[in-house]
Amino acid sequence: MRTLRIEGYVIVSADGMLADSRRIMPDELKFEGDKRFFAAALDRADLIVHGRHSHEGQPNSPQRKRIVLTRTVGAIADDPSNTKATLWNPAGASFEVACDHAGVNSGTVAIIGGPDVFDMFMDRYDTFWLSQAPRVKLPDGEPVFSGVPRQTPQDILAQHGLLPGESQILDAAGGVSVTPWRRRLHTS
Ligand SMILES: NC(=O)c1ccc[n+]([C@@H]2O[C@H](COP(=O)([O-])OP(=O)(O)OC[C@H]3O[C@@H](n4cnc5c(N)ncnc54)[C@H](OP(=O)(O)O)[C@@H]3O)[C@@H](O)[C@H]2O)c1
C-alpha cells in the first residue's frame, strides 16, 4: 500500500517572497539555523521533489532520491546527469507514477519549491514547515505561492486546511522562526 507523508519546506521574507526580483534566493534570506533545520529534514526524507531551479545544493544532496519537474520530457524519464533523479512532467504522468519510477512508495516526501511546485501540492501537505525572516523585505521578489502578496502565505495555508503549531526560533539575531502548519484531522 502507498503511504506517503507529504511535507513542504521554505523560508520566506516578511513580505512572503522566496527569491528576489531576479528569481534568485539572495544571501539575506540565508540563515545558518534555518540551513541546519532544512538539511536535517532532508536527511530524514525518503524523496525530494522540486522544480528545475530549486535544487537544495547541500553536502548530502548526491545521496538523495529526487523528482525534478521539467517540461523538457513528455512524462517520466531518467535524469542522464543523476542516477538518483527522476525527471517528471505532470502534464504527462501522475505523481504516483513518478514515485513508482523513483522507487519510493512509503515514507516522507519533502516538497522544496519553487512556487508552482508548492501550489501543486497545496491540498496534499500533511505538514508545511514555513520559516520566516521578519526583518528581510524583497519588494518585487518572487512570491512563495501564487496568491501572495494579495494574501499572506499563512492565510493561504489556512485556507487549504492547515493549522499552525508551535513555532521554533532558528536564528535569534534575525528573528527567524519556523512554524509547522499541519492538516486538520477530520473527525466525521
Ligand atoms: N527561499 C526558499 O526556501 C526557496 C525554496 C525554493 C526555491 N527557492 C528559490 O526560488 C527560485 C525558484 O525558481 P523558479 O521560480 O524558477 O522555480 P522552480 O520550480 O525551481 O523551477 C521552475 C522550472 O521547474 C519546472 N517546472 C515547474 N513547474 C512545472 C510544472 N508544473 N510542470 C513541468 N515543469 C515544471 C520547469 O522546468 P523546465 O524549464 O525545465 O521546463 C520550470 O522552468 C530559485 O532561485 C530557488 O533557489 C527558494
Side-chain angles (χ1 to χ4, degrees):
M1 197 181 82
R2 190 186 300 278
T3 50
L4 290 175
R5 191 180 159 73
I6 311 281
E7 305 217 345
Y9 292 89
V10 76
I11 182 166
V12 298
S13 60
D15 39 5
M17 305 297 154
L18 57 60
D20 64 15
S21 55
R22 300 163 301 161
R23 297 178 82 173
I24 290 171
M25 185 172 169
D27 286 347
E28 59 188 306
L29 206 47
K30 296 178 183 170
F31 295 86
E32 287 307 317
D34 183 64
K35 285 201 254 177
R36 278 195 299 275
F37 171 81
F38 185 42
L42 295 193
D43 282 345
R44 289 191 300 271
D46 299 283
L47 180 65
I48 318 285
V49 177
H50 58 85
R52 194 166 55 80
H53 302 145
S54 290
H55 193 282
E56 75 279 9
Q58 296 170 357
N60 291 343
S61 294
Q63 278 86 56
R64 296 178 183 144
K65 284 190 179 176
R66 67 187 64 236
I67 292 175
V68 181
L69 279 85
T70 176
R71 295 185 179 87
T72 60
V73 298
I76 299 280
D78 291 329
D79 182 342
S81 66
N82 180 352
T83 55
K84 288 190 175 285
T86 295
L87 302 178
W88 174 42
N89 184 343
S94 68
F95 179 55
E96 286 64 29
V97 170
C99 289
D100 285 345
H101 189 273
V104 177
N105 288 301
S106 63
T108 301
V109 181
I111 311 293
I112 66 165
D116 289 353
V117 184
F118 284 136
D119 279 355
M120 188 179 303
F121 286 90
M122 196 53 84
D123 290 315
R124 298 186 68 170
Y125 296 117
D126 293 289
T127 303
F128 193 99
W129 297 87
L130 179 67
S131 298
Q132 193 152 34
R135 294 176 199 148
V136 178
K137 287 216 167 155
L138 295 171
D140 304 320
E142 182 175 12
V144 59
F145 307 138
S146 57
V148 175
R150 219 173 349 100
Q151 295 176 285
T152 67
Q154 289 84 347
D155 289 340
I156 292 169
L157 292 169
Q159 276 166 10
H160 287 269
L162 297 159
L163 287 174
E166 199 173 324
S167 300
Q168 307 168 41
I169 297 292
L170 297 177
D171 182 289
V176 177
S177 62
V178 63
T179 305
W181 285 75
R182 297 194 171 95
R183 189 151 306 280
R184 259 193 308 254
L185 293 177
H186 294 286
T187 49
S188 57

